[in-house]
Amino acid sequence: MMARRSVLIIAVLLLAVIGLAPMVVMFARSITVDGGLSLEFYRNLMASDRPWRLLGNSLTLASLVALLSTLLGVSLGIVLGKTDIPLRRLFTLLFTLPLLIPSYITALSWADVLGGSGLASHFVSAAWIKTASALLFGLPGCVLVLASTFMPVVMLATMIYLRTINPRLEEAARLVSRPSGVLRAITIPLIRPGIVLAATLVFLLALGDFGVPTFLRVDVFPTESFTQFSAFYNFGAATAAAVPLAILTIAVLGGEQLFLRHRTDELRPASGGDDLPRLRLGRGKPLVVIAVAVLCLVIVVIPLIALLVQSGSAGAYIRALHTVGDSLVRSLVLAAVGATALTILGFFVGYLIHTRALAVWRAVDAWTVLLFALPSTVIGIGLIALWNRPATNLIYATPLMILLGYLAQYTALTSRATVAGLALVPASMEEAAAVTGAGWVRRVILIVVPLVRRTLMGGWLIAYIFCLRDTGITMLVYPPGYDTLPVRILTLMANGAPDLIAAASVLMIVATVVPLAILALILGKQRRSR
Amino acid sequence: MTVIEFNSVSKTYQGKVVLEDFTLVVEAGERVVILGPSGCGKTTVLRLLAGFIAPDSGSVSIAGQLVAAEGKIIQPPERRNLGMVFQDMALWPHLTVEGNLEFGLKAQHVVKSERQRRITGMLALVQMDAYRRARPPELSGGQQQRIALARALILQPRVLLMDEALSSLDEELNQHLRKELLLLHGQLGFTLIYVTHDHVEAHDIGTQIVCMRKGRIERIGTASGVMPRGADTLGADAAK
């Protein structure tokens, strides 16, 4: 018991130092001028109408992205998760792809389609391209890119929550109603809390994104912090600009906790979901397949093809490897180390949440979710506020800052994955080991970890992808000479050759997709051998 | 008059034969109990009848009409005029008691005034008038069972299917609801297909008992003929 308590307390303390302290210090810095309490930074921030306009833009953008993502994501989630549509897994993988890569790369690929000399310019008139380009570089384009990036969150959530429904509930309705009626009146209302939760997450992710709005020239609030910090090095103003976003995120998540948490907790993924009966599309199948394929082509495949076309020749890739090779290696190493650290910390945090072994379990859970939902600029500014001082320069001047950023923002991914895995393991498994006299450490290593091994592997992979695609935190905290590939591409986008940028982006996508494919192969092999 | 006819039906699931050469004829108004141990294929019989799955071979007819045959569902579940009470009740938790009862009536385009009249009548019949606005999770096991029964009967089905529907209740409540079920059967005259592994339940409810084992019918006959009260041999056999 003592060992368990000690390890879990250490995990909580680590999380407090990595995730809580930066936020507290950042807030303190935003209300301090020359060592005294002052609201000067906030007064300056609110002196003009600019922050309000930016906040309005951010809220409009996030709301439209959440709406479009939800409409598309729920529809696709139902078609791919509930019906007998062919090529389900391929479609799911393709639609998920934009979520796996940095969002600004998707924006870049769209620019390669609709830009002045883009892919579409070979097929349509110059006037059409001009109009499309004007739409892309503005709010409509920003909504399109961010919706295609975050739509998979709603789609995957819908697919997962569909698997939580007791099939008998739908069968009971099938006795008196057609499948469409069952879907409308029973299935969708049952998973509605999960859908709303996913839509909330999309809203927050879109609210915090600054790469895409910056590239597509839409003024939003997250850029304010970044600009104040990087352009003017006005740290107080940067922290003050970060606080409204933090408050907004806390308010939205607070609402989620109040109204949805107890309902979504009831929706737990069931094992063996692949065996669930699927709705037959019947005569409408060709039409549905065509609709899904066209959507996939438009929002995923064509932008990728444009990127490949833009990258042009093998020469561009050789130049790209030469130019960004060191960043690529750093990205891979940092993502792998970050994912491993996240898996370890996430396991203990998840174990704490699952077993409720410490009284603070609920606060820890809420805090990790809040950190995940916070805009990355807010976390980055917080980390700088805490660590940028002579006493801690040993940490601040090293890539450890990037790892701390990963741990601060992404622990919820691995802790929630652990909770989901542990929920499927009967408590009696660990109890049986305890009865034999095995200590807690031994039980965890020999019983619990092997039983949730697959979930941990999945968690590691998700963490790896998020670390690899991270731009916001890394952009703010990386020490000189330690930039990662997403940061290097973003820098190149200011003045680099288009084919070089496209080739570097393709390398980034390959680095993301290859581990996914390897893991899919390993898991597939394991499943076949069972 | 024959209401249900299984004609040499077989069903395989994930390489395992769960039903083999199953033939059964049920007359209108009968109370047929399908008795057998877990995994003997009795629930598969109900699911075939409801139209949730299709037979690999053989055919199923309801009221003289072919509803499924040779791997195909010819008539979908909603057009078979069946009611079903599931083992876990399957009450929709997001709807009130009234909503649960109203769902089928709405799907059948019954007008609002008639819907209200039938819901009131059915709730009175199962003595649950006071719980019209309650949600299923607020009800006790016995109350949920009554609502599940009311939901299944409100569309006046020609056949009521019950899948181990009383097995999760304690003995006293089980016995009480068995009596109520027989009373409702007497009043409404539906045909009952009742699946159970409990020989006492089978004896009390069935006018005809079908004993199954390993996907096949082992014995079939009247309750008193196949399984005289007090003689537990069949129950013991079935439980093997």
Side-chain angles (χ1 to χ4, degrees), chain A residues 11-199:
Chain A
V12 172
L13 288 176
L14 259 176
L15 198 65
V17 171
I18 294 167
L20 181 60
M23 297 300 109
V24 173
V25 173
M26 180 188 77
F27 181 68
R29 289 280 289 271
S30 75
I31 53 170
T32 311
V33 177
D34 298 329
L37 277 180
S38 167
L39 293 177
E40 188 188 324
F41 293 125
Y42 289 94
R43 271 198 295 274
N44 292 341
L45 182 70
M46 301 300 170
S48 72
D49 66 346
R50 181 180 151 79
W52 297 108
R53 189 168 48 79
L54 294 185
L55 203 57
N57 287 353
S58 282
L59 289 172
T60 307
L61 176 65
S63 303
L64 290 174
V65 170
L67 183 70
L68 188 59
S69 299
T70 306
L71 289 175
L72 285 176
V74 172
S75 309
L76 280 172
I78 288 170
V79 169
L80 297 175
K82 195 77 189 165
T83 70
D84 62 345
I85 190 172
L87 305 173
R88 247 181 314 126
R89 288 183 187 194
L90 178 68
F91 279 132
T92 306
L93 182 69
L94 283 173
F95 278 116
T96 308
L97 205 54
L99 179 67
L100 308 180
I101 56 181
S103 52
Y104 68 81
I105 288 185
T106 309
L108 175 73
S109 59
W110 271 103
D112 287 341
V113 178
L114 299 176
S117 55
L119 195 64
S121 65
H122 301 293
F123 306 101
V124 292
S125 69
W128 195 94
I129 281 290
K130 198 177 169 190
T131 310
S133 196
L135 286 172
L136 177 66
F137 286 91
L139 186 67
C142 212
V143 171
L144 171 77
V145 171
L146 286 177
S148 68
T149 301
F150 297 130
M151 179 277 288
V153 172
V154 183
M155 182 189 79
L156 295 173
T158 303
M159 291 171 76
I160 290 168
Y161 284 125
L162 281 173
R163 292 166 63 167
T164 67
I165 296 178
N166 174 359
R168 303 291 96 74
L169 295 174
E170 293 175 309
E171 285 176 359
R174 276 295 283 123
L175 285 170
V176 291
S177 178
R178 294 155 64 91
S180 56
V182 177
L183 201 62
R184 204 173 44 246
I186 304 298
T187 312
I188 293 176
L190 282 171
I191 62 166
R192 191 181 293 140
I195 293 171
V196 175
L197 179 65

Side-chain angles (χ1 to χ4, degrees), chain B:
Chain B
M1 183 194 146
T2 299
V3 175
I4 293 164
E5 194 173 348
F6 282 87
N7 190 6
S8 196
V9 170
S10 294
K11 181 74 187 171
T12 304
Y13 185 67
Q14 290 181 340
K16 190 186 166 213
V17 179
V18 287
L19 208 62
E20 198 174 359
D21 199 22
F22 184 89
T23 298
L24 178 70
V25 175
V26 178
E27 300 298 325
E30 263 194 298
R31 300 193 305 266
V32 176
V33 173
I34 301 176
L35 176 70
S38 299
C40 73
K42 52 191 193 299
T43 296
T44 304
V45 173
L46 287 196
R47 294 175 62 75
L48 283 163
L49 199 52
F52 300 145
I53 50 175
D56 295 337
S57 62
S59 64
V60 183
S61 300
I62 297 176
Q65 197 175 358
L66 196 64
V67 293
E70 312 294 336
K72 276 192 178 165
I73 291 176
I74 296 162
Q75 199 171 53
E78 75 273 16
R79 288 175 52 204
R80 295 188 180 192
N81 192 15
L82 305 172
M84 186 162 179
V85 181
F86 295 81
Q87 187 172 11
D88 58 2
M89 269 76 91
L91 292 175
W92 301 305
H94 62 297
L95 300 179
T96 60
V97 163
E98 183 178 20
N100 268 271
L101 266 61
E102 197 174 27
F103 177 78
L105 295 169
K106 273 186 178 168
Q108 306 292 319
H109 307 295
V110 177
V111 294
K112 191 172 181 184
S113 56
E114 174 64 7
R115 289 204 304 263
Q116 292 302 317
R117 192 187 66 75
R118 277 163 75 168
I119 291 168
T120 305
M122 187 51 72
L123 286 176
L125 198 64
V126 295
Q127 300 157 39
M128 288 292 289
D129 336 40
Y131 297 91
R132 197 175 181 124
R133 306 262 175 253
R135 284 181 191 272
E138 298 163 11
L139 304 176
S140 69
Q143 288 170 332
Q144 287 190 19
Q145 197 58 254
R146 285 197 175 96
I147 297 303
L149 198 56
R151 184 180 69 180
L153 291 174
I154 199 160
L155 286 169
Q156 297 157 356
R158 60 183 147 214
V159 182
L160 176 65
L161 312 176
M162 294 185 78
D163 185 7
E164 305 253 15
L166 306 179
S167 62
S168 61
L169 306 174
D170 63 61
E171 180 51 33
E172 197 179 337
L173 189 57
N174 184 318
Q175 216 169 0
H176 182 69
L177 285 174
R178 273 200 314 254
K179 278 183 192 157
E180 285 188 11
L181 178 64
L182 294 180
L183 210 64
L184 283 170
H185 178 264
Q187 284 175 280
L188 303 174
F190 50 82
T191 304
L192 176 67
I193 311 287
Y194 190 98
V195 158
T196 185
H197 64 270
D198 184 328
H199 68 280
V200 178
E201 258 182 48
H203 190 280
D204 281 359
I205 291 170
T207 50
Q208 190 183 184
I209 299 196
V210 179
C211 302
M212 289 187 67
R213 183 187 284 187
K214 293 180 181 171
R216 284 178 160 273
I217 294 179
E218 200 176 53
R219 262 180 277 180
I220 188 165
T222 60
S224 53
V226 171
M227 197 181 66
R229 188 113 169 106
D232 286 357
T233 49
L234 188 105
D237 277 357
K240 270 179 197 170

